[in-house]
Amino acid sequence: MESALSELEGTLVKDPDPFSYFMLVAFEASSIIRFAFLLILWPVIRLLEIWGQRDAGLKLMIFVATAGVPISEIEAVARAVLPKFYFDDIDMDAWKVFSSYDKRIVVTKTPRIMVERFVKEHLRADDVIGSELSVNRFGWATGFIKDGFDSISDRVSELFEDEQPSLGLGRTDYSGSEFLHLCKEQSHPRITSNKKHDRQFIRPLPVIFHDGRLVKRPTPSTALLILLWIPLGIILAAIRIVVGLMLPMKSIQRMAPLFGGKVMVKGKPPPPPSGSTSGVLFVCTHRTLMDPVVLSAVLHRRIPAVTYSISRFTEILSPIPTVRLTRIRDIDAEKIKQQLEKGDLVVCPEGTTCREPFLLRFSKLFAELTDRIVPVAMNYRVGFFHATTARGWKALDPIFFFMNPRPIYEVTFLNQLPVEATCSSGKSPHDVANYVQRILAATLGFECTNFTRRDKYRVLAGNDGIVSQTSTAESLKKLMSGFKQVVGTFKPFIN
């Protein structure tokens, strides 16, 4: 059985510097203060590398990013946040070589806990050999590593025993690639060409679910830009939200460009219901909590939206009416029918948001209740911050959306489904739901999946994604506490 042993940084992923991944751990597992402190130390880390003390610089990064952080939080970031950024940086030339071998081992000096999920699930490696974080009896990382970096080569030798790996991939000019001498062949994939590898090439498994607030990988320059922008972003978000709540719906789309936003509309929306005509059911893709609000702004009227598991406080702040579902099928069906008799309604049958170009499985309930179905393809673009979260506090999602310098929404109206494509023509609700999913995916250039809301939350948060219903007073207290922490954090920057 042929085996390949590959370095991660600078080989399987293009960037040889793991600094930005430690910045992600600092931001997502700890706080903005730790994030800023690690960035301040970046010149020191660079000087250590220039002086030939790369390992010392790496140990400093590990200590600052992880010391005093619960190991469960680091594991959560490694599961929900880091794989997306690693995946975007994959070197496909290296992957072609690596994936063609029967047994695949990844070697890294980065703490194993940070890379193991990505390496095993997306690069399909059999094992990963990395440094091990030291954890105290309370379950918090000490910031130190066990046995130092010298033990990595020893563990490679122990893993293969008397067998010699067929190929070693790594940077021959880097001291972290000492394991290369243990392999029969040594090479760097960027100068390797073998038609055998091309024939056996398979793509890494894509990242469909991911969490975290940052859109871009925080390299030193990007991290500095984010830190400088956040105080301005908070002010801008407050202005946008206040103005949006004060303006009538018909004015929001025209006023958005004045505050840096943009709403792009394609297709022709149906007219408002009149007389005894029942309302239209707008079936939307679900990208953020803002989807129904943006749709209402485009249609110039407040259209109620079906909600699944958002907080009571978010419902109170919503500028449009909301219809809360119970997840009891008969009760939910009756609620939707009653609302459609009053007028139009918005539903997102995925049941949760998805950031990547994939559509989750559509619930078939909407197809059973009406034949007046108008599919709407919703998509958005942001620069700095994601407006969705699985692990964080959802009430802050709209705030993070409006903190972006130029948030853009794209709304595409498709034609109302013809009668022959609905249940009244004899089609099953399942077929109708799948058909709507396919035409929306084709419109956006997305892929259809069978994943559900439960799958997403089990991957990202380890639960089923059900929001507990706290009292309004308690939610308000938490929100004010959160705002005070944010303002206190950035007070030095504002002053």
Side-chain angles (χ1 to χ4, degrees), residues 158 245 297 309:
E158 292 175 4
L245 291 174
S309 287

Side-chain angles (χ1 to χ4, degrees), residues 313 393 396 473-487:
F313 188 74
W393 194 21
L396 294 179
E474 184 180 351
S475 296
L476 180 60
K477 184 178 179 181
K478 287 182 179 180
L479 180 63
M480 295 305 297
S481 175
F483 271 124
K484 286 180 181 179
Q485 290 179 0
V486 172
V487 172

